[in-house]
Amino acid sequence: TAKALPRMIDAKKIPLSLYIHLPWCTQKCPYCDFNSHEGFSDSYQEPYVTALLSDLESQLHGAAGRPLKTIFIGGGTPSLFTGQSIDRLLSGIAKLVPISQTAEITMESNPGSAAAGRFRDYRGAGVTRLSIGVQSFDDAALRQLGRIHTGKEARRALEWADKAGFSRWNIDLMHGLPGQNSARANADICEAIEFSAGHISRYQLTIERNTQFWSAPPPLPDESTLAHIEKAGEESLFEAGFSQYEVSAFCRPGNESRHNLNYWTFGDYVGIGAGAHGKLTYPDGSIMRTQRTRSPMDYLNHARSNPFDAPATKAIAVSDLPGEFAMNALRLRSGVAIDCFAERTGLPEQVLKQRAEKALESGWLADWESGRFVTTPLGYPFLDSVLATLV
């Protein structure tokens, strides 16, 4: 069994990223189940950046001297923070851990908090890529989603990103919105293509627990309408030169999100900030999940009184590694090289092949001899069912 096998991992060969969580937003959206909180104050900026740097310092042993290949600043709404705060944050990180000269540094922004001057400041601080939460260009849809911006403000934010000197940005879109039909959903896609820098993320609205929509769900499109929305949107993206490289991500060649690719290929990442998660591989072969307290005020209050200890950790059981690896790798349309499994888990590829036996026999995975751990055209549309045989 996997538990009985010796495991050798060279942790220094596993790429390392950094995820930074800025948990505040102006207004909680009714569909959002992320760790985001209203009640932001400018007075939080300086102590929170100080707390983030203390948090990172407490986890440097897990970095094992590896340079950061990517950094992602997510939220919440990170663009509530000033360019000066982001500059202090990135400068402080660079003093604690090496950052690759070619690092991709992404920051999320919502059009409702966007400002031309701030975009220029973020670019000057070292941010190389924006991820802009447009969700829709339709004002009626935006109101139903509880967004604080309009379609006009979304277009303006994308123009500002270009004028600020960014050459890479992602547009986040949602579909399957209340009352939405295929024509309205495709209008969003076409506008996104027009304003795109080569990357569009596309998510179907789902109703999650602990959200306003869970308590009072809006009327959503039926399955037939959703199927038409999916097909029409994909056709428009393909015609514009985009390909689907991940379940919810489309891009033109060379515009993939490098940070997300590190997640899907089972790379490592340090997580700092309230509620941040991480995954780190240690030289002894253990692979640990980390998590900080979710409450922003608890996080801040702790940092004010004490330096951070290492975050709460939980080891990934060796027997769970094939399933964890598959849940990430198979999100990618091209999958990963099979030898990536041994490099990232320390287990021989035969362990993964045994777990994948049913999916291989069913024609859902490519032949093992191809050297790729990847779904076939038959398997990819039914990824959840394929993964159920592997986990």
Side-chain angles (χ1 to χ4, degrees), residues 27-354:
Q27 178 178 295
K28 185 83 170 178
C29 297
Y31 59 83
C32 178
D33 68 339
F34 293 164
N35 185 37
S36 58
H37 303 262
E38 297 179 4
F40 176 73
S41 167
D42 283 337
S43 65
Y44 297 159
Q45 295 196 52
E46 184 176 350
Y48 195 75
V49 170
T50 298
L52 288 169
L53 295 174
S54 173
D55 190 350
L56 177 60
E57 192 167 15
S58 75
Q59 300 189 60
L60 291 182
H61 64 290
R66 290 174 283 175
L68 296 174
K69 299 293 188 182
T70 68
I71 298 173
F72 195 101
I73 306 171
T77 304
S79 49
L80 292 173
F81 279 62
T82 65
Q84 183 180 11
S85 292
I86 299 302
D87 182 62
R88 179 172 167 247
L89 173 61
L90 294 176
S91 297
I93 291 167
K95 293 175 182 176
L96 293 172
V97 61
I99 301 176
S100 169
Q101 290 186 344
T102 58
E104 175 192 85
I105 302 176
T106 304
M107 181 174 174
E108 289 184 338
S109 173
N110 285 336
S113 63
R118 283 202 175 182
F119 278 6
R120 288 194 298 269
D121 291 343
Y122 299 148
R123 188 73 188 91
V127 177
T128 65
R129 182 178 181 273
L130 294 173
S131 186
I132 301 177
V134 170
Q135 313 312 350
S136 176
F137 293 94
D138 183 322
D139 286 346
L142 290 168
R143 285 193 296 272
Q144 287 177 307
L145 290 173
R147 303 295 291 178
I148 62 171
H149 69 272
T150 63
K152 181 179 179 180
E153 288 170 328
R155 298 179 193 98
R156 187 172 60 189
L158 294 163
E159 290 170 352
W160 284 343
D162 185 33
K163 292 178 179 177
F166 287 96
S167 59
R168 290 170 63 84
W169 62 81
N170 168 59
I171 297 175
D172 263 348
L173 283 183
M174 299 180 74
H175 65 279
L177 308 182
Q180 191 178 56
N181 58 29
S182 181
R184 290 174 64 189
N186 209 44
D188 276 343
I189 289 286
C190 292
E191 281 217 64
I193 291 169
E194 179 185 348
F195 285 98
S196 172
H199 193 287
I200 295 172
S201 296
R202 189 171 184 240
Y203 306 94
Q204 181 180 323
L205 173 63
T206 55
I207 308 301
E208 305 289 352
R209 290 182 179 275
N210 302 315
T211 66
Q212 292 180 41
F213 275 176
W214 181 264
S215 303
L220 299 181
D222 59 29
E223 291 298 322
S224 175
T225 303
L226 283 172
H228 285 295
I229 288 173
E230 285 275 2
K231 183 178 180 182
E234 288 179 1
E235 288 176 352
S236 293
L237 286 162
F238 296 156
E239 287 172 7
F242 286 74
S243 61
Q244 184 183 21
Y245 75 95
E246 189 266 337
V247 169
S248 56
F250 297 76
C251 74
R252 293 190 175 114
N255 285 279
E256 296 85 355
S257 165
R258 288 167 49 200
H259 185 84
N260 286 347
L261 283 175
N262 193 42
Y263 289 154
W264 310 141
T265 55
F266 215 53
D268 279 355
Y269 54 99
V270 177
I272 61 174
H277 292 255
K279 175 218 167 226
L280 291 168
T281 304
Y282 292 90
D284 65 358
S286 61
I287 302 175
M288 309 296 290
R289 298 283 187 192
T290 67
Q291 183 178 2
R292 285 295 185 195
T293 179
R294 289 174 56 87
S295 164
M297 299 317 297
D298 286 350
Y299 183 87
L300 268 177
N301 290 335
H302 178 92
R304 286 183 175 122
S305 57
N306 297 289
F308 277 106
D309 295 322
T313 60
K314 181 180 180 181
I316 301 176
V318 175
S319 58
D320 289 339
L321 284 171
E324 290 250 4
F325 181 85
M327 283 192 295
N328 287 278
L330 293 183
R331 289 182 66 96
L332 294 172
R333 199 72 192 242
S334 62
V336 299
I338 287 173
D339 57 13
C340 182
F341 175 73
E343 180 184 274
R344 304 290 160 92
T345 69
L347 296 172
E349 66 179 58
Q350 191 62 27
V351 173
L352 182 62
K353 186 177 182 182
Q354 289 172 353

